[in-house]
């Protein structure tokens, strides 16, 4: 055995020969230069490539050393960083989850079943594919291009209930949607699932970009299983949106009560100081049963669509955010595991000490919190951690390795900052990265676009200037303001405009839009236009950023821009 190979074998051996120690010190000096090299933030071409490399070189070694994957979450793979944004739909049976997907895609997908009874009994990943087809769960978890390989840990009972529906659809070119089995009420159905439903949802929650909880306006009771599921989504509140579906089936007064009851129920389960955003509507392509709230439903639908459409643009930022969350948890986990190892006796009384340590885990949490200035919110669930530790051999845990923690700290302090710059660059290079196709295109243009023909858009299709209808009334006011050469001064116009009680910032914008020739005065047409815009604002509509062509007074339309 050569001295060089000895130096590796006896790297930590105090009894190694002087020559070996010499080699070891040479090795340390080499490590030192490598360490200095590492302090420079790494340079990456893309955010996805950067996240992969940082995870594998800096975070994964820490996770593996302290058995992070056995306690919290399986290791990430390349597909987790490369995949499209995913939307997870969760709700009790018959709340319209599958109908919601069909509404977005505007076409059926393979394996789809809709009905009032619990129909969807599987997890269905609806993804883009060149041809229509269904891939069963066992085949899915061996495909390295799909981000589902780690789901094999949930066993056959789950994999038999997991499929991927592929189809060519423009919506799915930008996002994937995960349909889940309807959540049941009653103990019997819950036991018969054969796999840990809440744990599977938690696995998906970590990896998706948006979680949509669907509620039926008729069935607001939150079952025990649903309550458990919502609690399992803790730490992912920023991804959660709530949809109150089938809201067209009840009157306005009842809808107010249902909305209030929903917020009250959610407040008891979701422990956040902020109120979760709830979208009210009827998300399927059937006529509205009670059309009284049509305008409300349209506005809510537009808001929800905008939220979903922004996912591709924010996908890189979400992955970066999730990696930071994971790194913080991995650090805390390393402190917990190494603290337990430190307290364990070398030879006698191991079992008794293990029981004692697990019982006093809360005190260990508090000590780590004090020693390392860690926020209490970064610690894993105490009860769950105690249960998991019961099955572990605490003597096999690793002691604290500062080098591994330094690598993660370096990643959080330096590399993440340089990746943030790259995220912004990628966002500016792809400003139009939004979800297109399906229901997202249905209301973009034409008379059925949101707000078409209302507010500043009123009169867009008419040959006559829309302001002309009320111009005689505006002219009467105009001539009381002492016009000179057919124009009123800014000071005189202001006296009349402030009567609307609108703030100066709004009136200033109206002035800029109405003073078309920019001479600091208003003629009768410009004055009428200013009053028309005030009326638009008072009716609750937004002002346009530029004056639409149909609002330009006829006499000014020939003025070149």
């Amino acid at each position: 055995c050569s001295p060089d190979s000895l130096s590796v074998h006896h790297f930590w051996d105090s009894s190694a020969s002087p020559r070996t120690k010499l080699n070891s010190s040479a090795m340390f000096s080499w490590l030192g230069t490598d360490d200095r090299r590492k302090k420079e933030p790494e340079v990456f071409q893309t955010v996805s490539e950067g996240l992969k490399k940082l995870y594998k070189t800096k975070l994964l070694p820490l996770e593996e050393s302290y058995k992070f994957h056995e306690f919290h979450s399986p290791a990430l793979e390349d597909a987790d960083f490369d995949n499209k944004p995913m939307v997870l739909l969760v709700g009790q049976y018959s709340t319209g989850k599958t109908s919601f997907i069909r509404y977005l895609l505007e076409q059926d997908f393979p394996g789809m079943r809709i009905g009032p009874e619990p129909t969807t009994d599987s997890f269905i990943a609806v993804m883009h594919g060149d041809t229509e087809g269904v891939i069963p769960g066992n085949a899915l978890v061996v495909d390295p291009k799909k981000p589902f390989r780690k789901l094999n840990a949930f066993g056959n009972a789950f994999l038999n209930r997991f499929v991927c529906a592929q189809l060519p659809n423009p919506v799915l070119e930008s996002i994937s949607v995960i349909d889940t089995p309807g959540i049941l009420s009653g103990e019997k159905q819950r036991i018969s699932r054969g796999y840990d439903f809440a744990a599977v949802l938690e696995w998906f929650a970590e990896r998706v970009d948006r979680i949509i909880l669907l509620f039926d306006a008729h069935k607001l009771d939150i079952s025990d299983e649903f309550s458990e599921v919502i609690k399992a989504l803790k730490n992912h509140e920023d991804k959660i949106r709530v949809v109150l579906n089938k809201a067209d089936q009840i009157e306005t007064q009842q809808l107010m009560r249902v909305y209030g009851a929903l917020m009250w129920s959610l407040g008891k389960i979701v422990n956040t100081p902020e109120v979760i955003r709830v979208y009210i509507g009827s998300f399927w392509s059937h006529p509205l049963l009670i059309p009284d709230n049509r305008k409300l439903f349209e506005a809510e639908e537009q808001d929800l669509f905008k939220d979903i459409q922004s996912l591709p643009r924010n996908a890189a930022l979400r992955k970066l955010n999730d990696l930071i969350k994971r790194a913080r948890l991995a650090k805390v986990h390393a402190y917990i595991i190494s603290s337990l190892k430190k307290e364990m006796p070398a030879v006698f009384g191991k079992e008794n000490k293990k029981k004692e340590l697990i019982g006093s885990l809360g005190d260990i949490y508090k000590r780590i919190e004090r020693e390392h200035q860690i926020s209490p919110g970064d610690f894993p669930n105490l009860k769950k951690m105690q249960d998991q530790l019961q099955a572990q051999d605490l003597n096999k845990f690793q002691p604290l390795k500062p080098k591994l923690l330094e690598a993660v700290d370096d990643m959080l302090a330096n590399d993440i900052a340089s990746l943030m710059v790259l995220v912004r660059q990628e966002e500016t290079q792809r400003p139009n990265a939004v979800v297109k196709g399906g229901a997202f295109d249905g209301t973009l243009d034409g008379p059925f676009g949101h707000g078409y023909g209302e507010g500043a858009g009123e009169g867009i299709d008419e040959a006559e200037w829309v302001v002309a209808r009320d111009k005689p009334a505006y002219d009467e006011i105009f001539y009381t303001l002492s016009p000179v050469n057919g124009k009123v001064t800014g000071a005189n116009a202001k006296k009349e405009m402030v009567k609307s009680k609108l703030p100066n910032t709004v009136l200033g914008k109206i002035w800029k839009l109405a003073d078309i020739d920019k001479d600091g005065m208003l003629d009768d047409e410009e004055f009428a236009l200013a009053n028309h815009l005030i009326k638009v604002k008072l009716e609750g509509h937004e002002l346009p950023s530029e004056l639409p062509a149909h609002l330009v007074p006829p006499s000014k339309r020939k003025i070149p821009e």
Side-chain angles (χ1 to χ4, degrees):
C1 190
S2 71
D4 280 58
S5 61
L6 264 171
S7 68
V8 179
H9 287 296
H10 292 283
F11 191 64
W12 299 111
D13 190 354
S14 58
S15 63
S17 67
R19 183 165 179 189
T20 307
K21 287 183 177 171
L22 192 70
N23 275 326
S24 300
S25 63
M27 194 163 182
F28 273 124
S29 68
W30 174 78
L31 268 172
T33 58
D34 185 54
D35 217 34
R36 280 194 293 278
R37 229 181 17 246
K38 270 188 180 171
K39 289 293 173 224
E40 291 295 309
E42 300 206 34
V43 180
F44 304 113
Q45 298 306 309
T46 66
V47 175
S48 175
E49 175 222 324
L51 290 171
K52 276 186 236 175
K53 194 165 178 194
L54 285 180
Y55 177 69
K56 281 178 190 160
T57 58
K58 298 196 172 177
L59 184 52
L60 187 59
L62 181 77
E63 290 184 357
E64 286 174 339
S65 189
Y66 296 102
K67 299 188 174 187
F68 181 86
H69 308 137
E70 289 178 37
F71 284 85
H72 303 290
S73 166
L76 298 177
E77 300 203 322
D78 286 356
D80 289 311
F81 297 107
D82 294 332
N83 68 335
K84 291 171 189 161
M86 292 196 285
V87 178
L88 177 70
L89 292 179
V90 183
Q92 294 180 176
Y93 71 91
S94 193
T95 48
K97 296 185 294 297
T98 310
S99 300
F100 181 83
I101 299 173
R102 205 216 160 282
Y103 182 67
L104 291 186
L105 303 183
E106 290 188 342
Q107 77 177 88
D108 292 351
F109 56 88
M112 173 182 117
R113 285 167 63 212
I114 294 174
E117 76 284 7
T119 45
T120 304
D121 63 345
S122 303
F123 281 81
I124 304 177
V126 187
M127 304 180 90
H128 188 268
D130 295 331
T131 53
E132 274 198 29
V134 172
I135 305 169
N138 284 294
L140 260 183
V141 294
V142 293
D143 184 351
K145 291 196 177 113
K146 297 269 192 299
F148 306 123
R149 278 166 52 125
K150 298 292 181 184
L151 279 168
N152 61 3
F154 293 105
N156 263 338
F158 167 71
L159 294 179
N160 293 336
R161 296 249 171 270
F162 179 44
V163 294
C164 173
Q166 287 194 318
L167 66 155
N169 183 288
V171 174
L172 299 174
E173 286 174 16
S174 313
I175 58 169
S176 302
V177 188
I178 314 288
D179 193 9
T180 59
I183 291 166
L184 307 165
S185 45
E187 194 67 23
K188 181 176 169 289
Q189 295 103 316
R190 194 167 75 189
I191 291 166
S192 65
R193 280 204 198 272
Y195 59 90
D196 190 339
F197 184 66
V200 173
L201 277 179
E202 200 174 343
W203 186 94
F204 275 111
E206 270 183 36
R207 286 157 179 80
V208 299
D209 296 68
R210 187 65 76 239
I211 302 163
I212 296 180
L213 301 180
L214 272 108
F215 289 87
D216 181 337
H218 282 285
K219 289 200 304 264
L220 263 197
D221 59 312
I222 298 179
S223 69
D224 294 348
E225 192 179 23
F226 198 12
S227 177
E228 247 175 64
V229 162
I230 296 173
K231 283 173 184 163
L233 302 177
K234 191 180 179 291
N235 300 330
H236 303 289
E237 285 94 348
D238 55 324
K239 297 178 182 179
I240 295 177
R241 303 288 183 271
V242 174
V243 168
L244 182 58
N245 202 8
K246 306 186 184 182
D248 63 318
Q249 297 177 14
I250 51 177
E251 304 278 352
T252 308
Q253 192 178 5
Q254 282 176 303
L255 184 58
M256 265 174 57
R257 292 194 181 124
V258 166
Y259 179 78
L262 175 62
M263 298 307 281
W264 182 78
S265 303
L266 284 172
K268 290 200 300 180
I269 301 167
V270 184
N271 297 317
T272 53
E274 304 86 21
V275 175
I276 285 185
R277 175 69 164 99
V278 175
Y279 299 91
I280 303 168
S282 173
F283 294 93
W284 65 344
S285 48
H286 293 247
L288 299 176
L289 285 179
I290 300 169
D292 302 5
N293 298 309
R294 186 187 184 108
K295 286 184 94 162
L296 168 70
F297 298 160
E298 282 174 6
E300 293 283 282
E301 183 182 275
Q302 285 303 311
D303 286 354
L304 179 60
F305 281 6
K306 274 181 196 154
D307 186 65
I308 296 172
Q309 282 182 303
S310 70
L311 294 180
R313 202 169 54 243
N314 301 327
L317 195 56
R318 194 274 306 166
K319 284 171 184 156
L320 186 66
N321 188 39
D322 281 359
L323 189 72
I324 296 168
K325 259 197 236 176
R326 191 180 175 102
R328 289 165 72 110
L329 179 60
K331 271 181 66 182
V332 173
H333 180 76
Y335 286 131
I336 296 166
I337 296 295
S338 56
S339 290
L340 292 169
K341 166 71 176 173
K342 195 173 162 191
E343 300 285 334
M344 281 300 281
V347 188
F348 300 112
K350 290 180 185 177
E351 273 308 308
N352 289 338
K353 188 66 178 172
K354 177 180 170 179
K355 277 183 194 160
E356 183 195 316
L357 286 172
I358 292 172
S360 62
L361 191 60
D363 298 330
I364 294 171
Y365 274 20
K366 286 196 175 74
R367 195 181 71 234
I368 294 169
E369 196 185 309
R370 272 196 317 274
E371 281 176 18
H372 302 283
Q373 283 85 48
I374 295 168
S375 156
D378 285 354
F379 283 83
N381 180 288
L382 181 64
K383 174 83 178 70
K384 192 176 167 192
M385 193 73 178
Q386 285 172 324
D387 292 345
Q388 287 171 318
L389 285 168
Q390 300 288 357
Q392 295 283 343
D393 181 352
L394 272 56
N395 277 84
K396 288 188 177 164
F397 285 172
Q398 295 288 335
L400 198 63
K401 296 179 182 171
K403 272 263 184 291
L404 291 176
L405 284 158
E406 278 167 24
V408 174
D409 285 333
D410 176 50
M411 176 185 95
L412 292 170
N414 302 316
D415 300 314
I416 294 290
S418 60
L419 265 185
M420 272 302 297
V421 177
L422 203 53
V423 166
R424 294 288 170 230
Q425 282 174 1
E426 282 190 9
E427 279 178 5
T428 51
Q429 283 161 11
R430 295 181 295 120
N432 300 322
V434 293
V435 183
K436 294 189 173 83
F440 297 101
D441 287 355
T443 58
L444 277 183
D445 302 307
F448 295 97
H450 181 60
Y452 186 92
E454 297 169 11
E458 188 188 349
I460 191 166
D461 298 328
E462 294 173 23
E464 192 188 345
W465 187 40
V466 67
V467 183
R469 291 180 206 159
D470 300 317
K471 191 166 180 292
Y474 299 144
D475 281 350
E476 280 181 30
I477 302 166
F478 178 78
Y479 289 111
T480 63
L481 299 175
S482 326
V484 177
N485 298 328
K487 295 193 175 192
V488 294
T489 61
N492 284 349
K494 180 181 175 182
K495 284 175 196 166
E496 183 59 34
M497 287 169 75
V498 294
K499 288 179 185 174
S500 67
K501 298 181 183 171
L502 287 169
N504 282 352
T505 49
V506 176
L507 292 174
K509 186 173 182 182
I510 289 171
W511 177 272
K512 280 180 188 158
L513 291 169
D515 184 13
I516 292 163
D517 49 19
K518 305 283 179 262
D519 62 352
M521 302 172 89
L522 300 180
D523 62 21
D524 59 332
E525 286 182 331
E526 289 172 332
F527 182 76
L529 174 60
N531 279 283
H532 178 75
L533 291 171
I534 286 171
K535 185 176 122 200
V536 164
K537 188 65 187 169
L538 290 174
E539 285 172 355
H541 301 286
E542 287 303 311
L543 292 171
S545 49
E546 288 179 14
L547 193 67
H550 71 279
L551 285 184
V552 177
S555 65
K556 305 277 191 298
R557 284 178 192 175
K558 294 183 180 68
I559 293 177
E561 289 280 310

